[in-house]
Amino acid sequence: MALVVLTFLPTPYVIQRPGPVYDTLGSAAGEDGEEVPLIAIDGAATFETSGSLNLLTVQVVGNRERTPSWFELALAWMNSSRAVIPIDAVFPEGVTNEDRDERNAALMVDSQHEATAAALNELGYDTGAEVKVVDAVDGSPADGVLEEGDVITEIDGAKVTSAAELRAAIQDAEGTTVELTVLRGDEQPIGVELTPELHTEGGVDTWLIGITLTTEYDFPIDVTIQLDNVGGPSAGMMFALGIIDELTPGEMTGGNDIAGTGTIDAAGTVGPIGGIRQKLYGAVDAGADYFLAPASNCDEVVGHVPDGLQAISTATLEESLDALEVIANDGDVDALPTCAAPAQ
């Protein structure tokens, strides 16, 4: 009787499992339900592709209104393609489902812009990037110094073409005063000095000047990415690879089925994502032979690669392109970087 009661009690967990897989070289359902190219390019020559460049998703089973039962959790614990995680990690207290969906949708839009910028930068296009201030945090070094709409063009004399570049330069300064060159409305460029403050969270030290940034681009060609009902930033690298494949002659995959994941910024840096173990299994289910994994997720990949899948570590867009070239040309894939277990 106690076991039956326990089965129906609310639980403080949700389940992650492999979600739908989308080929960035293929199609997806548009707003009217009709199939349209997942990546559509206008204003430049495009070329035939082959194989697949699959982006992977993770589905969450459960929410604060309806958590999985203890029986469902037990089944998930026994399934290597599932993960049982605390509900607060996915649905923080005080954050509504609508808030979460809106945030994930915004992250997806940003991811598409950064992926387009990364791809076009790799191909030598000028993306016309402008790093703009969205807001200055009250009481921060930027409060009263920087204003909404300010365009930051330089830091200590070095050109700024992405928010990632600016953040990296601030970290490199290690708390010393930095000078920013700013465009404000129709005024002439002005120079402002700010001294970053040290913030520590989760044992990680970060130097901050207290601003929210956005990067706006003036792309020379039109790139439209059609993917509804998928949120978050983790598809960025695969978007960038798909764009490059369509804009370059030849078949970048060599006809192979390749999956991957990872955030990306305009500079081509590939970043970590969540749910990578579920995505490894999603890649196998989709028939992929190769999986491009962010180097920063390697600790979660080691020991969890399903049979039949070869995981390749990548930290940049250029490394991902190098890996695809080896795969397409039947090169020595075993010589590519991989996620290795730490030395004992």
Side-chain angles (χ1 to χ4, degrees):
M1 182 65 177
L3 183 61
V4 173
V5 172
L6 182 63
T7 299
F8 292 98
L9 285 176
T11 64
Y13 300 100
V14 291
I15 299 168
Q16 287 184 332
R17 66 184 183 190
V21 177
Y22 300 91
D23 180 11
T24 61
L25 304 178
S27 61
E31 293 181 0
D32 58 2
E34 295 292 323
E35 289 290 310
V36 297
L38 195 148
I39 296 175
I41 297 173
D42 187 28
T46 57
F47 302 88
E48 290 293 323
T49 62
S50 69
S52 59
L53 288 170
N54 291 320
L55 67 86
L56 307 152
T57 66
V58 173
Q59 285 186 329
V60 177
V61 179
N63 53 44
R64 287 199 174 274
E65 285 70 42
R66 192 278 182 192
T67 60
S69 68
W70 287 106
F71 179 71
E72 290 172 307
L73 293 178
L75 292 178
W77 267 312
M78 293 185 289
N79 188 329
S80 56
S81 71
R82 309 295 200 257
V84 176
I85 59 176
I87 193 169
D88 288 339
V90 181
F91 300 97
E93 194 73 51
V95 177
T96 66
N97 290 341
E98 291 75 16
D99 291 339
R100 179 176 176 271
D101 290 344
E102 286 179 9
R103 179 177 180 274
N104 282 334
L107 288 171
M108 170 58 80
V109 172
D110 287 344
S111 172
Q112 293 174 359
H113 290 165
E114 292 295 304
T116 301
L120 296 186
N121 286 335
E122 177 68 27
L123 295 175
Y125 288 90
D126 180 2
T127 57
E130 285 190 343
V131 179
K132 284 191 174 182
V133 176
V134 176
D135 188 28
V137 178
D138 291 343
S140 71
D143 187 19
V145 180
L146 295 176
E147 300 177 1
E148 178 183 354
D150 282 351
V151 177
I152 301 174
T153 61
E154 294 181 357
I155 179 169
D156 291 334
K159 188 176 180 182
V160 172
T161 59
S162 72
E165 283 182 348
L166 179 61
R167 294 188 186 103
I170 291 170
Q171 299 316 301
D172 290 344
E174 297 183 330
T176 60
T177 299
V178 296
E179 182 175 355
L180 304 180
T181 302
V182 175
L183 299 179
R184 180 172 295 163
D186 296 328
E187 300 176 13
Q188 293 295 311
I190 59 174
V192 299
E193 291 187 345
L194 296 169
T195 303
E197 293 179 341
L198 182 63
H199 288 251
T200 302
E201 185 173 344
V204 177
D205 292 339
T206 306
W207 294 98
L208 302 175
I209 59 174
I211 52 176
T212 305
L213 296 169
T214 186
T215 305
E216 296 184 359
Y217 300 98
D218 183 15
F219 295 131
I221 61 177
D222 292 327
V223 178
T224 302
I225 299 175
Q226 174 64 56
L227 190 60
D228 291 335
N229 302 319
V230 175
S234 65
M237 180 183 69
M238 299 310 292
F239 285 146
L241 292 174
I243 294 167
I244 291 173
D245 199 0
E246 291 200 20
L247 286 172
T248 52
E251 299 173 341
M252 199 163 72
T253 67
N256 291 283
D257 293 316
I258 299 164
T261 188
T263 65
I264 203 163
D265 62 26
T269 302
V270 175
I273 52 85
I276 194 164
R277 295 180 186 175
Q278 287 67 58
K279 291 177 180 179
L280 286 162
Y281 282 93
V284 171
D285 293 343
D289 299 309
Y290 305 97
F291 184 93
L292 299 174
S296 41
N297 280 118
C298 269
D299 59 334
E300 300 174 83
V301 173
V302 172
H304 297 279
V305 180
D307 292 340
L309 187 67
Q310 190 156 0
I312 299 162
S313 171
T314 179
T316 65
L317 179 58
E318 187 172 353
E319 288 183 4
S320 298
L321 291 169
D322 289 344
L324 291 184
E325 184 176 4
V326 172
I327 294 169
N329 293 315
D330 296 322
D332 186 2
V333 178
D334 291 334
L336 292 171
T338 187
C339 293
Q344 298 298 316

